Amino acid sequence: QVQLVEIGGGLVQAGGSLRLSCAASGRTFNTYAMGWFRQAPGKEREFVAAITWSTGRTRYAESVKGRFTISRDNAKNMVYLQMNSLKPEDTAVYYCTQRSSSSYSLYNVNYDYWGQGTQVTVSS
């Protein structure tokens, strides 16, 4: 079992920044990748960013490239999402995810574990 807890959501004005954190606990020794997805009201869940645990290879959604940065601290079992130049369309519930399998692309929704989600609201 792996437990994921997101911290750092909140309300921010357009152009501002937020940093999300995700703490992984439990049996995390076989982690292949961790990532972030988001879901806005009335929209499908979408991929945001992901990072492989061993090599640090990253992948980003086109909509956030140049604005968001994903990073990880392997020793602490933590993953972060630095969000800069936030836009109203970034408003969503953000979910931290973890996967042990490398059989899917990093942007694939088939992650094994999901956090409870944290609300990010960007005002215009």
Side-chain angles (χ1 to χ4, degrees):
Q1 288 287 99
V2 175
Q3 296 80 44
L4 305 172
V5 178
E6 302 98 334
I7 300 173
L11 175 65
V12 65
Q13 293 180 323
S17 299
L18 281 176
R19 187 186 191 225
L20 304 183
S21 300
C22 176
S25 61
R27 301 187 182 277
T28 61
F29 63 90
N30 62 342
T31 296
Y32 168 70
M34 294 186 68
W36 294 91
F37 286 74
R38 67 186 182 187
Q39 187 165 23
K43 294 186 177 181
E44 295 182 348
R45 187 180 303 164
E46 66 174 345
F47 170 80
V48 177
I51 187 168
T52 60
W53 218 239
S54 61
T55 66
R57 178 170 60 89
T58 59
R59 185 175 176 86
Y60 297 92
E62 290 295 326
S63 60
V64 306
K65 282 184 178 180
R67 299 189 298 122
F68 291 10
T69 302
I70 189 171
S71 60
R72 88 272 196 251
D73 186 330
N74 300 63
K76 297 181 179 180
N77 290 315
M78 297 282 291
V79 65
Y80 310 94
L81 186 67
Q82 178 66 46
M83 305 184 293
N84 298 325
S85 301
L86 283 163
K87 304 175 181 180
E89 52 262 43
D90 294 319
T91 296
V93 176
Y94 284 70
Y95 297 92
C96 177
T97 62
Q98 185 267 1
R99 184 203 294 159
S100 60
S101 174
S102 61
S103 298
Y104 305 95
S105 299
L106 292 179
Y107 56 78
N108 195 288
V109 73
N110 292 323
Y111 280 70
D112 297 319
Y113 297 95
W114 296 72
Q116 82 284 357
T118 186
Q119 177 71 48
V120 173
T121 302
V122 184
S123 62
S124 60

